[in-house]
Amino acid sequence: MTAYGTARRATELSSPSLLVPYYEHPRDRPAAWDALVEAAPRLYGVVLNPANGPGDGPDPAFIRVAGRLRAAGVRLLGYADTDYGRRPVTDVVRELTRHHAWYGTDGVFLDQVAAEYGAFDHYRRLAAAVWGAGPATLALNPGTPPHPAYARIADLVVTFEGTWETYRDQPPEPWPGGSGGLGARVCHLVHGVPPGTDVEGVARARGASVHCAVPGVGDHPWGTLPHALEPRR
């Protein structure tokens, strides 16, 4: 590894390591959003997802909580579903523009991202649109290791999303585009995690400098926070 690569790796190990995709409304779970604000120094970022995207209009509750998170220094990533490259670039960019205009997001979280090289040009155009609007963090979530070319267009790539049982028993494949070199940082998103499980240690051992591990299960696991961030009752 080069001196630059060594320095970068040391910086990543000391950087905030939690990316939290929290898909609950601030009106319904205010204490959980308070906990995210309090945890600001530990957070790589928070994914805002008011309505499977920004919704049809600005939501006052999300405006307030987004302002509090920004004031605490938290990176805010606006959520957009890309449907594995099937959604037109213009539709996705329209949603990301709304996130920024309404909630002051300073980055994007593209979900259901294709992993194969054949879709790379589609995502390259999306990345160009994101960066053309100004400095921003671009996170891609294929949920599996994509072609290494994707490292060239993203700041963060989710190379695993799934259950703790799968994560524990079937280690994710090493990704040559990952943060061990000059590519994007790697993130692992794990749900169904029992209390007291050291997912951060496992994630770092598997090459991920960013992670999120929540207890949620079923169709909506991202309606729960990591155990360490859950508000005290």
Side-chain angles (χ1 to χ4, degrees):
M1 183 181 295
T2 66
Y4 175 82
T6 301
R8 173 174 176 152
R9 183 62 173 164
T11 298
E12 290 178 357
L13 289 173
S14 62
S15 298
S17 62
L18 285 173
L19 173 68
V20 182
Y22 188 55
Y23 302 158
E24 288 289 323
H25 199 281
R27 179 185 59 243
D28 300 328
R29 296 286 304 276
W33 286 96
D34 290 344
L36 283 173
V37 174
E38 293 172 6
R42 303 172 58 187
L43 302 180
Y44 175 87
V46 170
V47 181
L48 289 186
N49 187 12
N52 197 33
D56 295 326
D59 185 317
F62 271 98
I63 290 173
R64 287 191 293 272
V65 78
R68 293 177 61 206
L69 287 164
R70 286 198 311 274
V74 177
R75 177 189 284 115
L76 299 179
L77 306 181
Y79 176 95
D81 182 355
T82 70
D83 194 21
Y84 301 103
R86 290 186 285 265
R87 289 192 71 201
V89 169
T90 52
D91 289 356
V92 176
V93 170
R94 185 180 303 115
E95 290 192 355
L96 300 177
T97 300
R98 289 175 176 176
H99 274 299
H100 180 70
W102 297 344
Y103 306 117
T105 54
D106 44 16
V108 304
F109 182 87
L110 300 183
D111 199 16
Q112 298 202 100
V113 170
E116 68 276 5
Y117 185 71
F120 177 71
D121 278 349
H122 177 83
Y123 288 97
R124 183 178 51 78
R125 291 194 296 274
L126 267 174
V130 169
W131 289 335
T137 298
L138 175 56
L140 303 178
N141 181 22
T144 191
H147 188 280
Y150 286 82
R152 303 203 307 263
I153 62 170
D155 299 290
L156 183 80
V157 177
V158 179
T159 63
F160 178 88
E161 181 179 357
T163 66
W164 166 245
E165 288 80 7
T166 300
Y167 192 65
R168 178 193 62 200
D169 298 338
Q170 301 175 20
E173 303 171 25
W175 186 50
S179 54
L182 303 181
R185 295 181 72 175
V186 172
C187 176
H188 293 165
L189 301 179
V190 190
H191 49 83
V193 178
T197 305
D198 178 22
V199 176
E200 180 175 5
V202 176
R204 288 195 182 279
R206 295 177 179 178
S209 60
V210 179
H211 78 289
C212 188
V214 300
V217 296
D219 294 334
H220 184 47
W222 306 114
T224 58
L225 291 178
H227 289 293
L229 301 188
E230 279 289 349
R232 296 177 182 177
R233 300 184 185 279

